[in-house]
Amino acid sequence: MNNMPEVKVGIVAVSRDCFPIQLSEKRRAAIMDAYKGELYECPVTVENEKDMEKALEDVNKAECNALVVFLGNFGPEISETLLAKHFDGPKMFVAAAEETSANGGLIQGRGDAYCGMLNASYNLKLRNVKAYIPDYPVGTAEECADMIHEFLPIAKAVYALNNLKIISFGPRPLNFLACNAPIKQLYNLGVEIEENSELDLFAAFNAHAGDARIEKVVAEMAEELGQGNKMPGILPKLAQYEITLLDWAEEHKGEREFVIFANKCWPSFQTQFGFVPCYVNSRLTGRGIPVSCEVDIWGAVSEYIGQCVSDDAVTLLDINNTVPADIYENDIKGKFTYAHTDTFMGFHCGNTTAKKLTSCEMKYQLIMHRGLEPDKEPDITRGTLEGDIIPSQITFFRLQSTADAQLAAYVAEGEILPVATRSFGGIGIFAINEMGRFYRHVLIEGRFPHHGAVTFAHNGKALFNVFRYLGVASIGFNQPKGMLYKSENPFA
């Protein structure tokens, strides 16, 4: 399943009618020369509302799904922001820096786009139009080209959300109010949601009994697991479940291009379906269809944003447990620069794709086994994928609708250390600078749930900009020493 968009960006130059239009056109052409990659150059330069209509028609005809409005000079604040308003897709504004060696210097060739960007941002706010404006949005052709490249993952995530359907099977397990999911903000983001009962999923699963595709999927699973295929007897049920979810996605995505899942996975799941779904969740997430655990709708959204930004597989983990002192003393202290409180273990039962594990085995869910089938060989609790998560750079993050339906988010970059966990599940030892303070003054103070999404690279800049584009007012991050959180005691 192709479950992420291809972004085609168009650039439209704008020009205030009391400035030379040729200035904007030459500067637009210079960006085209400097840009490495596909960038559609709209031939219409916008000076007025009629030009705006022509430019809009042109970029739509060219099938652009993201837009760069380029202020080659001061720019027509009304027309340029109307262009952004009427373009149905993510957009950015960028402006030209001045130059003395070309285009008439600072007499005939001065464009004042530095000033025009202020008016553009004011007009965007007047019209309630969201647009990405880089941290310093004025530059040379080469610098503007770099800014457009940085816009690509942001545009990809924003476009994807506007064409996304979340399919959930619930309700949440008992005592999982932490994964409470007020859904009003989903609609504000342009996301559609289809909420179903666990019974709907169970009926669909039973309808796939004996499906002719099961044998092929079992073979694929066995190949992926390799030596870790320790419980081959459970694979047919897991294959049947995987086919059920994929068929449901195709049959229910409706008008939407992209689909993700937020599914209930315990406790009655095991007694009725006869297995744990973690391994299937890992396989679909590895194929670009995130499946969050425990009906964590906002966790699934977070995973999908991370997938779009990183263009790689993601995972969803519990911010789970501390690193024992002896492991820290023997394997971390003196070998890495992290304090003990900078480290923690990120864990989940088995939803991390095999591609992101050092090695993997099919196992059973230990915690569920204690409660559901104690004192017997694992049966209905089989189906987890276990192994230590690969050492790598990571970004830990989450987008959340709070209990009062306000958007909040956090982003923190760090790494997974090359240290054995000595534990179970899909798990890794994470290190994030100043994690102890971040844990207290962002995660606890912000009332975030224990689930966090993970990309396997440093994607903090792009994720922060995505959240800012989406209108998230509160974006927490791991502040360095000397930079106090609002809730932090300055006398501590």
Side-chain angles (χ1 to χ4, degrees), residues 53 81 106 139 155 186 197 222 234 261 272 282-283 365 371 408 419 454:
E53 292 177 324
T81 51
L106 292 179
L186 291 175
S197 163
I234 200 64
F261 287 97
Q272 302 307 306
S282 81
R283 280 174 53 83
Q365 217 292 340
V419 175
V454 178

Side-chain angles (χ1 to χ4, degrees), residues 207-218:
H208 282 77
D211 192 293
R213 296 168 290 176
I214 290 175
E215 185 177 350
K216 180 182 178 182
V217 175
V218 167

Side-chain angles (χ1 to χ4, degrees), residues 17-269:
D17 55 10
C18 55
F19 286 80
I21 191 172
Q22 295 83 6
L23 191 59
S24 273
E25 292 174 338
K26 288 180 180 178
R27 288 173 168 175
R28 180 190 69 207
I31 291 176
M32 295 301 300
D33 289 340
Y35 190 81
K36 303 294 187 276
E38 182 183 13
L39 179 63
Y40 174 73
E41 182 179 15
C42 176
V44 181
T45 302
V46 173
E47 288 187 302
N48 53 55
E49 291 179 42
K50 291 297 182 183
D51 293 335
M52 179 275 294
E53 292 177 324
K54 293 175 184 176
L56 182 64
E57 181 181 7
D58 182 77
V59 292
N60 285 335
K61 186 177 179 180
E63 298 183 332
C64 297
N65 56 11
L67 179 68
V68 175
V69 179
F70 171 60
L71 279 66
N73 58 41
F74 191 98
E77 57 195 71
I78 293 174
S79 301
E80 68 196 14
T81 51
L82 283 174
L83 175 62
K85 178 180 179 179
H86 294 309
F87 180 78
D88 186 19
K91 36 258 177 180
M92 77 174 290
F93 276 64
V94 66
E98 306 294 1
E99 50 206 331
T100 58
S101 60
N103 301 320
L106 292 179
I107 305 297
Q108 296 301 325
R110 198 186 78 192
D112 297 358
Y114 189 76
C115 185
M117 182 61 75
L118 298 175
N119 286 29
S121 66
Y122 183 78
N123 275 260
L124 288 168
K125 185 64 175 178
L126 283 176
R127 301 177 194 281
N128 295 316
V129 176
K130 293 178 180 178
Y132 169 61
I133 299 176
D135 289 335
Y136 186 71
V138 186
T140 64
E142 291 76 15
E143 289 167 339
C144 287
D146 289 341
M147 291 183 227
I148 295 170
H149 274 294
E150 289 192 344
F151 174 55
L152 293 181
I154 301 164
K156 188 174 185 179
V158 171
Y159 178 87
L161 287 177
N162 278 281
N163 292 275
L164 176 67
K165 175 178 279 188
I166 303 170
I167 296 173
S168 76
F169 294 99
R172 297 180 311 278
L174 180 65
N175 285 328
F176 257 69
L177 288 176
C179 289
N180 178 53
I183 63 173
K184 166 60 178 170
Q185 286 289 357
L186 291 175
Y187 296 114
N188 291 347
L189 296 176
V191 177
E192 190 65 35
I193 180 167
E194 172 190 300
E195 295 181 285
N196 303 280
S197 163
E198 229 176 339
L199 283 172
D200 297 319
L201 181 58
F202 193 47
F205 173 75
N206 288 331
H208 282 77
D211 192 293
R213 296 168 290 176
I214 290 175
E215 185 177 350
K216 180 182 178 182
V217 175
V218 167
E220 292 173 359
M221 289 176 167
E223 182 178 2
E224 180 180 56
L225 291 167
Q227 295 298 314
N229 187 15
K230 303 296 186 183
M231 296 181 170
I234 200 64
L235 295 189
K237 285 185 178 180
L238 292 168
Q240 181 179 334
Y241 181 65
E242 180 175 305
I243 293 166
T244 301
L245 289 181
L246 290 172
D247 283 355
W248 192 286
E250 285 296 332
E251 293 163 7
H252 287 252
K253 68 180 180 180
E255 60 156 0
R256 294 292 163 134
E257 294 181 59
F258 316 114
V259 177
I260 60 177
F261 287 97
N263 296 348
K264 191 170 182 180
C265 49
W266 64 273
S268 57
F269 191 101

